[in-house]
Amino acid sequence: MKPFRVLFIALAFAGLAVPIQAKDMVVKEPPESLSKYYPPQSKQPKWIQQMHKMSTHFGGVFVNLKEKDFENVDKHANKLVEEYKKTSEMVPEWEDYFDVKAAEEFAAAAKTHDIAKAGKASGGLGRTCGKCHAENEVSVWAKFHWPSFHKIKVTDPISEKEIEFDEYMGSISSSFKGVTVNFSEGQYGRAAKALKIFKSRFMELKSTCSKCHAMQDVKRFYVGSDADTAFAGMSRELNADKPNPGKFWKNIGLLGKTGCKHCHLVHRTNSFIQEMWEKPE
Amino acid sequence: MKQSSRIFDLLVGLGLLGISGLGLLYFLINERFEWIPEFALELARDPQILKRPKAEKCSECHKNIFEAWKESRHSISWTSETFIEASENRSKEKCLPCHIPQSVQGEKPEPRMDLRDEGIYCVSCHFIDNKMNGPYDLLAPPHPTYRNPDYVRSGFCGSCHQKTFKEWKATKVEDTCQDCHMPRKKGRLTQKKGLNLLHKKRWVGDHRFLHGKITEKDVILETGWEEKFFSLSLKNNTIPHFVPTADNGDPRLYLYIQFFNDEEEEVDSAKEIIAPQQETALPYNKKINFRYRLFDPVSKAVVELKYQPAWSKDKQPVFSKAVTR
């Protein structure tokens, strides 16, 4: 019987943690009323904190049922209902996602101190969470947990003019091509001049990263020692009397695999979503 | 005659009594305020001050400090256009703790919800546990005042200026942040008429939080020529932290190099951005080297350094020097 109970508890947790799966996902911009639960309107990200509170009380019921600490089971069950009700009133547009009766039924089942009954009653409650997560979690994270790329302005180190981030990425790409195309054609002097411009623009990204990232180590993950090594290597080849193409391209690869790829893998998906909301149609 | 002499004696006596009384009061206020019973001080407390007042309320007594603070970047930490733009209309969480600190006490503060337009103001730095804190133990009847030695230590500024504090610490220079950015002058802490004369003069820090001007004495340039290369070095000679420095802002030094041939025609140029966010800022007392390949014949280089603070788009000249081969 014991292994089944454990499995049951695991499934009950999974019901809350995993959203209802859907192959077609619509990423809809969250309602404006949610903004008051995130900085700057709020001191803390209150909405996600509220999610954590409910999740903790839900988990607290099962942890204590397993430990047969029934006093704490009751406390968590009561608190869960209290927080669930509170959450249901926070964003009027999302009121329908909540089923307070399901939360109360779960609490009542938990208070019988029968783990099987609690597990069974958790399904209805878990589905309300899962439905909202499936439909809104991605957009809430995209809007409130990720600063917007499209509002970032970058000072182009070459022109010293402030330009939009997207435009800046275009200028990096162009200067990169200035290096690779000239090198491929054996125009090493031109490639060296283009490299100075490309390096300057690439390194400017450290300042761009710092607009959001406060920690040096995070910035260095994108523009760090690999970039320094790659640029030093390319520069060495272009300053040599006979540049070694193998070494040159190896460094281009290093820069691409670390700097470009790291950033694009982490940030681009979210940036695409924000772009849909922020760019005029 | 006798009558007038008596009046004169009385006046002199009263005068002496008055002077002695004022002297005693001055002595009590400045030297032995602990003799004044707490209940008597309670009568003089201003309850509004004990509720995190606006800076203007503090200015009723501390006019000079208030006026200096008004000129500082601290006073516009929440309202400056540069901040609003850089923080995406104040939405970036990482900016809030230091731009609207609740209470600065040696570690990163919490952001506050009220009086945000005041920025980093009197209460942020001096109001702890319903008392005013500062570098002096003194009597200020409207509010309890406590001496806290942290106010003259760099660690206090390091609550927010964490990176700069670490840079300064590594230099082992004894001058603190306050020594350079809040130089002290003797003066009175209060300007309220009458009360000001009862308080002795003390060393008061400059609450404009001065930002020094970078000159060619601060950044030393050395240059050298090789057949196909021009090299130069820059050394931060006087400022005991990186130059420029910032935790999150983006101040910069722009280094421009123009190369000329014998005909005084510009044949090439180079540029360096020296900035804390790009990890290229100049450490204290260390030469940083740059080297440029010369693709064309060059006989002269002009090296120019300009400074752009984090809050401005304007560049201020530091130096411009021509170097011939």
Side-chain angles (χ1 to χ4, degrees):
Chain A
M1 188 64 194
K2 221 176 174 184
F4 287 108
R5 283 189 178 180
V6 175
L7 183 68
F8 209 70
I9 293 168
L11 285 173
F13 276 120
L16 264 198
V18 180
I20 291 167
Q21 301 297 312
K23 278 188 179 172
D24 299 318
M25 182 187 272
V26 177
V27 185
K28 219 165 43 175
E29 194 168 5
E32 191 48 43
S33 60
L34 190 60
S35 306
K36 62 174 178 282
Y37 304 114
Y38 280 98
Q41 290 190 44
S42 158
K43 196 167 170 176
Q44 303 279 337
K46 281 190 183 156
W47 181 256
I48 190 88
Q49 286 171 351
Q50 193 63 18
M51 297 293 118
H52 290 157
K53 273 187 198 167
M54 290 194 293
S55 171
T56 302
H57 292 309
F58 184 83
V61 166
F62 287 101
V63 167
N64 286 297
L65 276 172
K66 207 179 157 201
E67 298 289 340
K68 299 195 187 313
D69 180 351
F70 299 126
E71 196 184 327
N72 274 321
V73 168
D74 294 357
K75 272 188 198 165
H76 281 292
N78 289 335
K79 287 296 280 180
L80 175 64
V81 175
E82 188 185 318
E83 297 298 344
Y84 190 86
K85 278 183 183 164
K86 190 177 158 191
T87 316
S88 71
E89 290 159 6
M90 286 169 81
V91 181
E93 295 89 337
W94 285 352
E95 197 186 9
D96 291 344
Y97 283 114
F98 293 86
D99 182 351
V100 176
K101 199 170 156 238
E104 286 167 344
E105 281 169 4
F106 168 68
K111 284 196 255 182
T112 64
H113 305 155
D114 180 333
I115 199 163
K117 278 187 185 165
K120 198 174 168 197
S122 72
L125 177 63
R127 270 191 294 279
T128 67
C129 308
K131 187 172 191 304
C132 188
H133 288 181
E135 292 179 12
N136 300 301
E137 203 172 15
V138 171
S139 38
V140 170
W141 276 84
K143 184 167 171 95
F144 293 105
H145 295 263
W146 284 86
S148 167
F149 273 98
H150 310 288
K151 289 179 187 159
I152 292 176
K153 287 201 172 113
V154 187
T155 305
D156 178 18
I158 308 306
S159 68
E160 295 180 19
K161 281 187 185 141
E162 212 173 46
I163 56 175
E164 302 283 333
F165 182 78
D166 293 348
E167 194 187 336
Y168 188 72
M169 292 312 283
S171 68
I172 287 193
S173 174
S174 308
S175 45
F176 173 68
K177 285 177 189 99
V179 178
T180 52
V181 169
N182 279 312
F183 189 86
S184 312
E185 292 167 357
Q187 301 282 359
Y188 302 132
R190 285 191 213 160
K193 284 182 182 173
L195 182 68
K196 274 200 292 186
I197 295 172
F198 173 53
K199 183 186 173 190
S200 188
R201 285 191 167 135
F202 194 89
M203 289 305 180
E204 178 65 34
L205 289 173
K206 272 192 180 178
S207 287
T208 315
C209 298
S210 73
K211 289 175 193 279
C212 298
H213 295 291
M215 288 155 75
Q216 293 290 357
D217 286 348
V218 180
K219 287 198 283 179
R220 286 184 197 131
F221 176 68
Y222 303 110
V223 190
S225 58
D226 285 330
D228 292 335
T229 307
F231 279 114
M234 283 185 264
S235 187
R236 202 166 36 244
E237 290 316 311
L238 288 168
N239 284 334
D241 290 334
K242 280 188 183 169
N244 178 329
K247 286 183 181 172
F248 181 83
W249 291 113
K250 196 178 162 193
N251 282 308
I252 289 276
L254 177 64
L255 194 66
K257 273 187 284 185
T258 55
C260 311
K261 191 175 172 185
H262 281 180
C263 180
H264 288 183
L265 276 178
V266 176
H267 293 104
R268 282 200 102 178
T269 309
N270 193 68
S271 165
F272 290 142
I273 295 171
Q274 290 177 338
E275 193 174 4
M276 297 296 165
W277 296 334
E278 290 169 13
K279 288 237 162 157
E281 282 175 25
Chain B
M1 188 65 188
K2 245 181 179 179
Q3 180 84 7
S4 59
S5 162
R6 269 191 202 147
I7 291 168
F8 177 76
D9 288 349
L10 187 68
L11 286 175
V12 169
L14 282 173
L16 284 173
L17 203 66
I19 289 167
S20 316
L22 279 173
L24 184 67
L25 200 59
Y26 185 88
F27 174 74
L28 259 181
I29 286 173
N30 291 292
E31 307 296 338
R32 289 289 181 273
F33 57 87
E34 65 274 13
W35 290 356
I36 303 173
E38 192 57 36
F39 74 85
L41 291 175
E42 286 301 327
L43 295 173
R45 298 285 188 237
D46 182 342
Q48 269 185 295
I49 295 180
L50 303 179
K51 287 183 192 157
R52 300 181 60 86
K54 287 177 101 170
E56 206 140 29
K57 175 77 186 160
C58 307
S59 78
E60 289 173 10
C61 289
H62 307 288
K63 188 169 163 272
N64 289 356
I65 291 177
F66 171 79
E67 278 170 5
W69 167 80
K70 272 304 253 188
E71 284 181 43
S72 76
R73 301 292 312 167
H74 281 179
S75 74
I76 52 168
S77 63
W78 186 247
T79 52
S80 92
E81 279 185 22
T82 324
F83 169 68
I84 293 170
E85 192 186 313
S87 62
E88 286 181 17
N89 198 19
R90 299 153 168 167
S91 68
K92 280 188 186 158
E93 248 177 273
K94 73 161 186 168
C95 309
L96 308 185
C98 290
H99 279 259
I100 39 167
Q102 175 84 6
S103 182
V104 177
Q105 295 184 43
E107 52 191 43
K108 187 153 269 185
E110 283 282 308
R112 66 173 188 275
M113 295 304 291
D114 63 336
L115 302 178
R116 289 178 159 191
D117 283 354
E118 299 276 288
I120 304 151
Y121 72 127
C122 322
V123 160
S124 305
C125 293
H126 291 282
F127 193 78
I128 303 168
D129 298 334
N130 288 330
K131 296 161 199 153
M132 288 301 165
N133 289 250
Y136 296 113
D137 228 350
L138 48 76
L139 178 77
H143 53 74
T145 310
Y146 285 85
R147 179 179 172 267
N148 182 342
D150 288 346
Y151 283 85
V152 290
R153 292 177 181 154
S154 294
F156 188 80
C157 311
S159 310
C160 283
H161 302 281
Q162 293 183 347
K163 233 160 87 176
T164 310
F165 173 65
K166 275 188 204 154
E167 292 163 8
W168 166 81
K169 218 170 164 189
T171 67
K172 302 197 189 314
V173 167
E174 282 183 10
D175 291 341
T176 63
C177 307
Q178 292 88 337
D179 287 334
C180 295
H181 297 281
M182 296 182 75
R184 286 185 279 179
K185 261 198 204 162
K186 264 220 156 157
R188 291 199 163 85
L189 285 164
T190 173
Q191 282 66 50
K192 202 160 195 173
K193 281 201 177 111
L195 283 182
N196 57 342
L197 299 173
L198 286 174
H199 287 277
K200 72 176 179 188
K201 286 187 175 177
R202 293 172 192 273
W203 292 103
V204 185
D206 192 326
H207 281 68
R208 286 177 296 169
F209 308 99
L210 303 176
H211 182 275
K213 193 173 186 294
I214 304 170
T215 68
E216 60 184 316
K217 285 179 189 158
D218 301 309
V219 180
I220 307 292
L221 169 74
E222 281 180 20
T223 56
W225 296 94
E226 296 162 60
E227 195 194 338
K228 284 186 176 173
F229 292 92
F230 172 70
S231 55
L232 66 87
S233 72
L234 294 176
K235 189 172 103 174
N236 161 15
N237 204 39
T238 58
I239 303 167
H241 50 69
F242 280 45
V243 170
T245 182
D247 274 54
N248 290 295
D250 196 7
R252 290 155 178 232
L253 284 167
Y254 282 87
L255 177 69
Y256 303 93
I257 308 109
Q258 290 168 286
F259 296 104
F260 296 89
N261 61 16
D262 283 338
E263 281 74 46
E264 289 283 320
E265 291 163 337
E266 187 180 330
V267 290
D268 202 357
S269 66
K271 185 196 291 186
E272 304 292 342
I273 293 172
I274 297 162
Q277 302 308 345
Q278 297 189 28
E279 298 181 284
T280 51
L282 305 175
Y284 176 60
N285 212 13
K286 190 179 166 192
K287 273 186 194 173
I288 299 297
N289 301 309
F290 303 89
R291 193 163 179 253
Y292 305 95
R293 168 104 188 240
L294 306 171
F295 292 96
D296 304 290
V298 166
S299 58
K300 187 177 89 174
V302 173
V303 183
E304 199 178 8
L305 190 67
K306 286 184 177 176
Y307 173 61
Q308 182 183 308
W311 58 86
S312 171
K313 308 243 189 281
D314 298 328
K315 300 182 186 76
Q316 305 154 4
V318 177
F319 62 69
S320 175
K321 290 178 182 177
V323 195
T324 47
R325 198 189 263 266

